[in-house]
Amino acid sequence: MILMAGKKDVAAVAGSDRQGVPSFSFQKDTVPQKSIKDTLPGNDSLKIADSTKLTTDTGRVKTDTFRLKISKDTLSGPVNYFGQDSIVGFLDSKKINLYGKAKAEYEDMTLTAPEIGIDQTNHIVTAKAGKDSTGEISDYAEMKQGQEEYKSEGMEYNIKTQQGITKGTITQQGEMFIHSDIAKKIDARTMYGQGTFFTTCNLDHPHFGFRARRSKIVNKKLAVTGAVRPEFDSVPVPVYLPFGIYPLYQGRHSGLMTPSFERNDQWGLGLSRLGYYQVINDNWDVQVYGNIYSYGSWMVDVLPTYRKIYKYQGSVKFGLQRYRRNFRGDPDFSLTKTYSFAWTHSSDTRSRPGVSFSANVNMSSTRYNENIPNSNLMNLMNNTAGSSITYSKTWQDKPFNFTASFNHNQNNAARLVTFNFPNMAFTVNTIYPFQKKNSVGTKKWYEQLGIGYQGGFQTAMSFYELADSTKDSLRTRGLYRGTFQRMWDTLQWNGNQSIPITLSLPPILGGAVMISPSISYSQTLVNKKTDYSFIPELDTVIGVATNKIALRQQMSMGISINTALYGTYQFRNKRIQGIRHVIRPNLSLSYTPDMNRNNWQRVQVISKDKKDTSYRYYDKLAGIGSPPVDIFTARRFGGINFGIDNNLEMKVKAKKKPKADSDSTDESTTDGANGVDENGFKKIRLIDGFGFSSSYNMFADSMQLSPFSLYFRTNLFEKINISANGTITPYKLDANGVPTKYYAWQDGRFNIGTLTNASITMSTSFQSKPKDANKAKQREEALNQQMNDPMLQADQQRLLEYMRQNPAEFVDFNTPWSINLSYSLMYTKPNRTTGLSAGNGINSSTNFNGSFNLTPKWNFSVNGAYDFKTKQIQTVGFTISRDLHCWQFSASVSPVGVYKYYNFTISPKSGMLQDLKINRNRSFFNGGPRY
């Protein structure tokens, strides 16, 4: 019997019903009738049931049972099948053929192919791929079972025993694609292959791989082959290995880290990143790796990482370096021993609401960055480093906050390291004691009275990192003190507390003017007191610190006045509606009484020519090295702080009006800084802000007016960021360039002062539209999600560091070109006292980087810096990259700078084969040893 279904979709079910009889054929009842006996004759309405208890007249209990025999060819579930073109069923042989985008489903198995055959008697499923007119495969037979997927030219598979043979099979195991000419599956997990090809290229005809005659594959675990050789673009490489082992399981696993070969003029030949990766448990793993060079230099890093889902995540990195440049006796010989320590930790605030703990530690020897082979330009130019460990707790529904932190800062150029630990702060947010819980209407003025509390404890200690030669010299003279001893000598601590009180008065003049009085009292407890004395022989003042606890008190009171003035100029032009100028003046009066008169010391000072004798006041509680200050300025203040802030806006006709169905509350479509209003106009910021600030102290005996601080910032065309600032001294300068007590305008001519320093910075970036907008959007969203997830902070730091060291591996071929430029201009007025008399005091430099695609697969990038004062390129680097689909190629060179280098790398993109790469690099040190 033949069933035909033309072009209509036909679906049926082949399998077994509850009695084991296939639904598409007829069979005799396999249960003999004699096995069913009626225990209650004459009661035709009683149905036969399994294990039903019946009571007879004699009171005995009988059980009426029967057994249902299951057919041997019965499956454990139905087989759903579908054929778009036609379905041909042979009921006598129990076979079904499906044609045209055929599909068969059984339990967790799904099979799709142009042609599928089902043999219900033997549980065999066959499938064939489709071919085009040239004989090439146009549509594979694809089978998915659980998490496993197969593509084949043809297959014969037993769906009950899960055994079968396939031809031209492609299966993916993690990042690995396995091509087999013939594959035999013997159970749910194991498969044998003949003519097997292993690759990470996802094409049907891969660019590269490893060819083996025979293989055994255990799904998601391991593949083992006999003799294996590599192939590139179907061209065999005459290099054979006796066997091959391919890890196919996902997740972390222990193993050796393959090193790469390096060559360096100062350190010789070497191997980099030679080490081992060990998985300790589900929460811990560790990497131990290092570099070793032929001249005796080496470095080792230990990098454990830890994580606990929904709790915390972090990593620790400890490194040691011993770098020796050249050989002993060489003029350029140097030996440097350095260390580094880094720790990143982030906690999930959802695990403990109100409590957070984070760490970002980056500590090292001040010479560590100088000795990183093939270091990126950013590391070489970075002279500062810092660390922060913070614990904070906020009490829910209460105004209390507590913070404890550890901070570290180091200046690599000055070799100065500073620690601040422990630092603690307890804060009570402003509370309003006179405010009613359920207030109605306008609040009374006294209800706006707020009071708070701030208490804290800080420590500081520092030391200079000494060179090995300096240590040896001090040891010879018996003057050397260890690092911890020098740190202890500089230990300073202080405890402070303050009580700020604020009051917000009702607005006056129709709400245009806001008046806010305030008062604050604070105390500071310090552990050192310094006594100063003048030494005539040295013509200088020397301070000697002693451990003595002292108290400093301060009180301040003031009132601030703020308002805003608007000025608008209307245009009759249809394109421009108007320009608005907003002026925000601010004025505050403050008074600080003298509460520390006993903490100041009057010290005699004699100038170098010893003709003039004067006296200066020093703060005995400020610590050694504090500059002398005017007693009236330091001990009390009573005056005015004032300033003006401005911005300038223009309203123009937008090119496109917002859509009518847009959300009216969305800032992107309503009247805003960059939005469009309902009339089709949008605001453009001409100047984001410009103004000045200063103060006047009425209690100072001279120089009552403070220097003017100027600032300016804007964003032109939403592309060019410009910011500028400067300082104007309103006093006349003497011959040495030092301000005097006479105002600049006292001689009767208009002169507001002298510009002592100024700077201007401009930056811009341009890039073309991405080729694929959806791909660019997905990449941006994925990056933002990763950067904003607190549980991924440790991974972010490692990823960013790797991206800085290997920029060629992260080329965005989706963006045809991009350019980033920045320019800085700085001016400092030359004077003799600061040693800046030489030159005109002007320095300027520019940083640039750009990238553009030469072709859809070739990318060229450049980055560098240029100093206009020295008229020299400080550093520059060029990189060219090639997208090879499943491989990547990059070549970089830096011909200018202290470190010159070049490197060449070609490697697979897959992280599974990241150690299978060709890497050649060489670096040159141009500057001699550093101390």
Side-chain angles (χ1 to χ4, degrees):
M1 181 178 180
I2 301 177
L3 301 178
M4 297 295 295
K7 294 187 178 179
K8 295 183 179 180
D9 295 345
V10 179
V13 177
S16 59
D17 56 15
R18 296 182 179 179
Q19 285 75 33
V21 180
S23 59
F24 60 82
S25 63
F26 299 94
Q27 278 190 348
K28 296 181 179 180
D29 193 351
T30 59
V31 181
Q33 295 293 331
K34 62 181 181 179
S35 64
I36 304 177
K37 295 182 179 181
D38 190 354
T39 57
L40 294 178
N43 189 357
D44 296 335
S45 62
L46 181 64
K47 296 182 180 180
I48 299 175
D50 186 21
S51 302
T52 303
K53 296 181 180 181
L54 305 174
T55 305
T56 63
D57 295 340
T58 60
R60 298 179 63 184
V61 177
K62 290 185 178 182
T63 303
D64 181 28
T65 61
F66 70 92
R67 296 190 178 184
L68 181 65
K69 294 183 179 180
I70 306 299
S71 176
K72 294 181 180 180
D73 62 351
T74 299
L75 298 174
S76 59
V79 177
N80 300 321
Y81 58 88
F82 166 81
Q84 186 178 28
D85 183 56
S86 61
I87 299 177
V88 180
F90 303 92
L91 299 184
D92 293 338
S93 59
K94 302 177 185 178
K95 295 182 179 180
I96 299 176
N97 293 337
L98 312 174
Y99 300 96
K101 295 184 179 180
K103 182 178 181 181
E105 295 179 346
Y106 171 71
E107 293 185 341
D108 63 341
M109 185 202 75
T110 301
L111 175 64
T112 59
E115 182 180 342
I116 296 177
I118 302 175
D119 186 347
Q120 193 271 339
T121 302
N122 299 314
H123 312 127
I124 300 296
V125 176
T126 59
K128 295 182 180 180
K131 296 184 179 181
D132 56 19
S133 59
T134 62
E136 294 293 332
I137 296 177
S138 59
D139 194 0
Y140 278 92
E142 300 183 9
M143 185 177 72
K144 181 177 180 181
Q145 188 168 18
Q147 297 181 352
E148 302 171 14
E149 295 184 7
Y150 304 90
K151 291 199 311 181
S152 302
E153 297 178 20
M155 67 173 60
E156 185 176 343
Y157 184 68
N158 190 313
I159 60 177
K160 188 172 184 179
T161 63
Q162 298 189 16
Q163 296 178 345
I165 295 178
T166 62
K167 179 183 178 182
T169 304
I170 304 174
T171 180
Q172 183 178 1
Q173 302 280 339
E175 293 184 84
M176 183 72 73
F177 293 88
I178 304 175
H179 299 244
S180 300
D181 294 339
I182 300 176
K184 180 179 180 181
K185 190 174 183 181
I186 62 174
D187 56 36
R189 298 191 59 192
T190 309
M191 182 172 63
Y192 288 92
Q194 182 176 350
T196 310
F197 192 72
F198 295 86
T199 181
T200 57
C201 183
N202 60 358
L203 298 179
D204 294 341
H205 300 282
H207 293 107
F208 81 103
F210 304 91
R211 176 77 64 181
R213 291 185 60 188
R214 296 181 179 88
S215 64
K216 180 180 180 180
I217 304 166
V218 182
N219 290 335
K220 307 299 182 182
K221 186 176 181 181
L222 187 70
V224 181
T225 68
V228 61
R229 72 168 188 270
E231 286 187 8
F232 290 90
D233 235 352
S234 301
V235 178
V237 178
V239 176
Y240 282 84
L241 298 175
F243 61 89
I245 299 177
Y246 308 84
L248 303 178
Y249 45 82
Q250 303 298 302
R252 304 172 300 150
H253 54 276
S254 304
L256 291 172
M257 300 173 62
T258 306
S260 60
F261 177 78
E262 289 187 0
R263 182 182 179 185
N264 189 285
D265 279 3
Q266 286 74 39
W267 305 316
L269 303 178
L271 295 175
S272 65
R273 294 191 67 84
L274 172 66
Y276 192 83
Y277 173 75
Q278 176 66 45
V279 177
I280 301 175
N281 53 39
D282 291 341
N283 299 326
W284 282 86
D285 57 37
V286 63
Q287 297 180 47
V288 180
Y289 58 91
N291 299 3
I292 184 170
Y293 298 92
S294 59
Y295 290 176
S297 300
W298 56 264
M299 66 169 291
V300 61
D301 288 328
V302 181
L303 176 61
T305 61
Y306 57 90
R307 67 203 57 81
K308 191 169 185 181
I309 189 170
Y310 304 127
K311 292 288 186 178
Y312 52 78
Q313 176 176 287
S315 66
V316 182
K317 181 179 180 181
F318 179 73
L320 293 174
Q321 288 181 343
R322 183 185 183 275
Y323 279 108
R324 186 173 71 172
R325 288 192 175 93
N326 302 313
F327 295 100
R328 292 187 181 275
D330 192 288
D332 295 329
F333 170 80
S334 66
L335 178 64
T336 306
K337 301 177 183 178
T338 60
Y339 72 92
S340 69
F341 176 77
W343 176 34
T344 58
H345 178 92
S346 58
S347 60
D348 194 338
T349 55
R350 294 169 294 185
S351 61
R352 296 186 63 188
V355 177
S356 67
F357 178 77
S358 63
N360 188 1
V361 179
N362 183 17
M363 301 172 56
S364 65
S365 300
T366 56
R367 298 171 178 83
Y368 185 83
N369 286 347
E370 301 174 2
N371 297 288
I372 300 178
N374 303 316
S375 179
N376 62 83
L377 302 176
M378 185 175 293
N379 280 340
L380 299 177
M381 299 171 62
N382 186 17
N383 286 323
T384 61
S387 306
S388 176
I389 303 175
T390 305
Y391 169 84
S392 63
K393 178 176 176 58
T394 301
W395 281 262
Q396 189 175 5
D397 300 328
K398 294 182 180 179
F400 307 133
N401 299 281
F402 173 77
T403 302
S405 64
F406 161 87
N407 296 304
H408 146 264
N409 292 281
Q410 66 184 57
N411 188 320
N412 295 335
R415 313 299 186 197
L416 177 63
V417 182
T418 302
F419 292 96
N420 300 97
F421 174 77
N423 291 349
M424 294 180 290
F426 178 77
T427 304
V428 179
N429 297 334
T430 303
I431 58 177
Y432 300 91
F434 302 110
Q435 191 175 95
K436 298 178 182 179
K437 293 184 178 180
N438 299 317
S439 60
V440 179
T442 305
K443 296 180 181 179
K444 304 295 183 180
W445 66 269
Y446 54 83
E447 292 183 315
Q448 302 296 322
L449 180 67
I451 184 171
Y453 176 81
Q454 298 174 356
F457 180 83
Q458 297 87 28
T459 61
M461 61 187 78
S462 60
F463 68 93
Y464 283 92
E465 189 176 272
L466 304 178
D468 293 339
S469 57
T470 305
K471 294 179 182 178
D472 296 339
S473 176
L474 292 175
R475 288 191 183 99
T476 303
R477 294 181 292 172
L479 301 176
Y480 177 73
R481 293 175 63 83
T483 301
F484 290 101
Q485 291 176 319
R486 286 181 282 138
M487 289 176 56
W488 185 258
D489 293 340
T490 63
L491 173 64
Q492 291 185 344
W493 60 262
N494 70 75
N496 58 80
Q497 61 178 353
S498 63
I499 304 175
I501 301 174
T502 59
L503 177 63
S504 298
L505 296 178
I508 61 175
L509 300 178
V513 179
M514 300 292 296
I515 301 177
S516 302
S518 63
I519 184 171
S520 177
Y521 173 77
S522 63
Q523 293 179 333
T524 303
L525 202 66
V526 299
N527 71 320
K528 287 184 182 294
K529 192 173 184 179
T530 307
D531 293 316
Y532 295 90
S533 59
F534 178 75
I535 308 298
E537 293 80 4
L538 301 176
D539 194 21
T540 187
V541 175
I542 295 179
V544 179
T546 57
N547 292 323
K548 185 176 181 180
I549 297 178
L551 179 67
R552 174 188 293 158
Q553 304 179 80
Q554 186 172 0
M555 175 181 285
S556 63
M557 58 193 72
I559 183 171
S560 63
I561 304 172
N562 296 277
T563 186
L565 305 176
Y566 298 87
T568 303
Y569 183 82
Q570 300 289 341
F571 289 90
R572 296 182 180 180
N573 192 322
K574 295 182 179 180
R575 173 65 178 162
I576 303 175
Q577 187 180 39
I579 294 178
R580 186 173 70 170
H581 180 199
V582 182
I583 305 174
R584 295 182 177 88
N586 60 83
L587 177 69
S588 64
L589 306 176
S590 61
Y591 172 69
T592 301
D594 181 12
M595 303 182 68
N596 300 285
R597 63 185 65 188
N598 295 328
N599 295 332
W600 293 89
Q601 181 181 3
R602 186 171 181 263
V603 182
Q604 179 180 355
V605 178
I606 303 177
S607 61
K608 291 184 179 181
D609 54 12
K610 299 184 180 181
K611 294 181 180 179
D612 298 328
T613 300
S614 59
Y615 296 87
R616 301 300 299 269
Y617 286 87
Y618 290 81
D619 187 356
K620 301 175 68 175
L621 305 184
I624 297 177
S626 299
V629 294
D630 187 277
I631 184 172
F632 296 102
T633 303
R635 288 171 53 177
R636 61 176 179 171
F637 176 86
I640 304 172
N641 295 285
F642 56 91
I644 296 178
D645 180 55
N646 303 260
N647 66 54
L648 202 62
E649 298 175 337
M650 181 172 63
K651 211 167 190 180
V652 299
K653 191 74 173 179
K655 294 182 179 180
K656 294 183 180 180
K657 294 184 178 180
K659 295 181 180 180
D661 58 349
S662 61
D663 188 357
S664 60
T665 61
D666 188 356
E667 292 182 358
S668 64
T669 58
T670 59
D671 193 3
N674 297 315
V676 181
D677 61 14
E678 63 277 4
N679 297 321
F681 286 90
K682 70 174 183 178
K683 292 179 182 178
I684 298 177
R685 286 285 185 97
L686 299 178
I687 301 178
D688 291 338
F690 66 97
F692 70 93
S693 63
S694 183
S695 63
Y696 185 87
N697 186 4
M698 294 180 292
F699 290 104
D701 59 349
S702 62
M703 305 179 71
Q704 295 95 339
L705 184 62
S706 298
F708 292 91
S709 297
L710 313 177
Y711 63 91
F712 175 90
R713 61 183 183 276
T714 188
N715 188 334
L716 298 180
F717 315 111
E718 299 181 359
K719 281 295 183 181
I720 304 176
N721 295 309
I722 302 177
S723 63
N725 58 73
T727 302
I728 294 180
T729 301
Y731 300 99
K732 294 182 178 180
L733 305 182
D734 60 14
N736 295 325
V738 178
T740 64
K741 63 180 180 179
Y742 303 104
Y743 288 112
W745 54 81
Q746 283 186 343
D747 55 2
R749 61 192 182 98
F750 178 78
N751 187 359
I752 61 174
T754 303
L755 184 67
T756 56
N757 62 77
S759 66
I760 181 171
T761 302
M762 294 183 293
S763 63
T764 185
S765 62
F766 300 92
Q767 68 177 29
S768 63
K769 293 182 179 180
K771 298 178 182 177
D772 188 342
N774 293 330
K775 184 177 180 180
K777 184 177 180 180
Q778 292 175 1
R779 178 181 180 180
E780 183 179 359
E781 290 177 353
L783 183 61
N784 291 335
Q785 182 179 3
Q786 182 181 15
M787 292 301 177
N788 295 329
D789 191 342
M791 290 299 295
L792 298 177
Q793 289 182 359
D795 291 337
Q796 294 167 12
Q797 297 297 326
R798 291 194 295 270
L799 177 60
L800 292 175
E801 179 62 24
Y802 185 81
M803 291 175 67
R804 283 194 292 263
Q805 295 181 0
N806 305 273
E809 297 184 15
F810 299 90
V811 176
D812 184 12
F813 287 93
N814 192 38
T815 303
W817 59 269
S818 64
I819 298 175
N820 298 290
L821 300 171
S822 65
Y823 173 78
S824 298
L825 175 65
M826 294 166 288
Y827 167 76
T828 301
K829 183 175 178 56
N831 61 76
R832 297 179 182 178
T833 58
T834 60
L836 298 175
S837 57
N840 55 11
I842 297 177
N843 294 309
S844 61
S845 62
T846 182
N847 295 297
F848 55 91
N849 64 77
S851 172
F852 61 93
N853 294 343
L854 300 173
T855 68
K857 298 296 183 180
W858 282 95
N859 178 272
F860 178 79
S861 62
V862 59
N863 64 84
Y866 181 81
D867 192 319
F868 289 94
K869 186 174 184 178
T870 60
K871 297 181 180 180
Q872 292 182 350
I873 297 177
Q874 299 300 308
T875 181
V876 66
F878 304 94
T879 301
I880 188 168
S881 305
R882 173 70 161 91
D883 183 7
L884 300 173
H885 185 259
C886 50
W887 282 64
Q888 57 193 5
F889 161 81
S890 65
S892 302
V893 60
S894 178
V896 178
V898 176
Y899 286 89
K900 302 177 183 179
Y901 66 89
Y902 70 84
N903 61 62
F904 168 90
T905 302
I906 181 171
S907 62
K909 290 182 179 179
S910 171
M912 188 178 191
L913 301 177
Q914 61 181 346
D915 295 324
L916 182 66
K917 61 182 179 181
I918 300 174
N919 184 24
R920 293 291 180 267
N921 58 67
R922 190 173 182 180
S923 59
F924 309 88
F925 179 72
N926 183 23
R930 295 185 176 183
Y931 299 96

